[in-house]
Amino acid sequence: MTTASEAKAIVVTRSEAQTSRQGPAENFTGSVRVDQPFQATAPGRASGARVTFEPGARTAWHSHPLGQTLIVTSGVGRVQRWGDPVDEIRPGDVVWIPPGQKHWHGASSTTSMSHIAISEQLDGKSVDWMEKVTDEQYGAALRPRPAAAPARDAAPAGQPTRAQQLMGDFAPKLAQLTDDVLYGDVWARPQLSRRDRSLVTISALVALNRPDQLRAHFALARDNGVTEQEIAEAITHLAFYAGWPSAVTAVTVAREVFGMKSDKQ
């Protein structure tokens, strides 16, 4: 029997005490893993879990009586409300699905995606499952993603961008072109996703052995949905084409960016 004091205590469920489970085939297409499920005790109504979708995996169409919040933690995903275009979602994106709206969400066709899903129960129910998402629905064109200029470093209003700081006093036109054309136009073009542009940029900088630029672009790539494992694999692949010295330099920079300590330290 739970005492009054125990009922008010903070409860920590340790990670080692939790197990993963596969998303049931009747509600999902593809490989889906559910981790750290949680359920609030009354009077709380919130429940949720961290859900990982392998490439191509997605939920069936469904709705939530009180809505749902998704917090994307890694990878590249998709979400769509019935009748709307498909939206791309990336790490840091927070998605709100209003109550009763028929929708689906999952990974992109080439990259896995993890999100934390949170919803509330109404009369003991938090979700209504419907038919599965067809391949045609899943493969529909994406709605253009609003793009922020990545290299402007989110300069506060009235403050110079990074390009303006580096070269604005000597070559103001080059700084303007860097901001407006390279980062304001090229990176925003829908023909390649920002994730793919990050991989292309990283590959070029590794091949050219440009560690200073790599630092910023490794961090940007992570924000754009490229995982540390994918960056490590890209560097390994590039070693055969760009040379071992360039690859080793890139690994050293990646360790710094991702906060990894060398075994020699």
Side-chain angles (χ1 to χ4, degrees):
M1 181 177 179
T2 303
T3 67
S5 176
E6 290 173 335
K8 297 179 181 179
I10 293 175
V11 177
V12 179
T13 304
R14 303 297 178 186
S15 59
E16 56 268 23
Q18 303 175 47
T19 58
S20 298
R21 63 179 176 85
Q22 290 296 116
E26 60 267 27
N27 299 332
F28 296 91
T29 297
S31 178
V32 180
R33 189 178 73 253
V34 181
D35 297 288
Q36 289 99 39
F38 62 87
Q39 173 66 61
T41 55
R45 298 187 298 184
S47 63
R50 179 166 61 88
V51 187
T52 300
F53 300 80
E54 293 304 316
R58 66 267 193 185
T59 68
W61 289 102
H62 62 289
S63 65
H64 302 276
L66 294 178
Q68 183 182 48
T69 298
L70 307 177
I71 305 171
V72 185
T73 57
S74 66
V76 181
R78 305 281 188 264
V79 64
Q80 181 185 24
R81 186 181 73 151
W82 183 265
D84 287 350
V86 180
D87 283 302
E88 182 180 81
I89 51 178
R90 294 178 175 273
D93 289 350
V94 178
V95 181
W96 164 243
I97 298 105
Q101 297 302 303
K102 182 177 180 179
H103 70 286
W104 67 270
H105 39 99
S108 74
S109 60
T110 58
T111 306
S112 61
M113 185 273 291
S114 293
H115 64 46
I116 297 171
I118 305 168
S119 57
E120 291 184 288
Q121 293 189 1
L122 179 64
D123 298 328
K125 177 182 280 190
S126 63
V127 60
D128 289 301
W129 290 106
M130 305 173 193
E131 73 275 15
K132 289 196 172 184
V133 176
T134 66
D135 290 342
E136 182 180 5
Q137 291 169 333
Y138 175 75
L142 296 177
R143 178 173 13 215
R145 178 183 173 91
R152 294 184 186 220
D153 295 332
Q159 297 297 313
T161 66
R162 181 60 175 162
Q164 290 167 348
Q165 292 174 3
L166 290 173
M167 64 187 95
D169 58 340
F170 184 78
K173 187 61 178 180
L174 180 57
Q176 178 193 343
L177 290 171
T178 300
D179 285 335
D180 296 341
V181 179
L182 175 58
Y183 295 115
D185 179 23
V186 174
W187 275 83
R189 288 167 59 81
Q191 286 81 1
L192 282 178
S193 69
R194 288 168 63 88
R195 175 185 180 277
D196 292 341
R197 291 186 188 277
S198 278
L199 280 173
V200 171
T201 305
I202 285 172
S203 298
L205 294 175
V206 170
L208 293 169
N209 201 1
R210 301 287 176 81
D212 291 337
Q213 289 95 333
L214 270 174
R215 286 183 178 87
H217 278 282
F218 277 149
L220 177 61
R222 181 171 54 185
D223 292 342
N224 285 340
V226 183
T227 66
E228 295 178 23
Q229 293 80 8
E230 288 172 327
I231 289 175
E233 185 62 27
I235 295 172
T236 301
H237 185 84
L238 285 164
F240 290 88
Y241 298 91
W244 249 250
S246 294
V248 171
T249 298
V251 168
T252 302
V253 174
R255 281 182 170 274
E256 296 174 7
V257 172
F258 299 127
M260 301 172 66
K261 295 182 178 179
S262 171
D263 293 337
K264 296 181 179 180
Q265 292 180 336

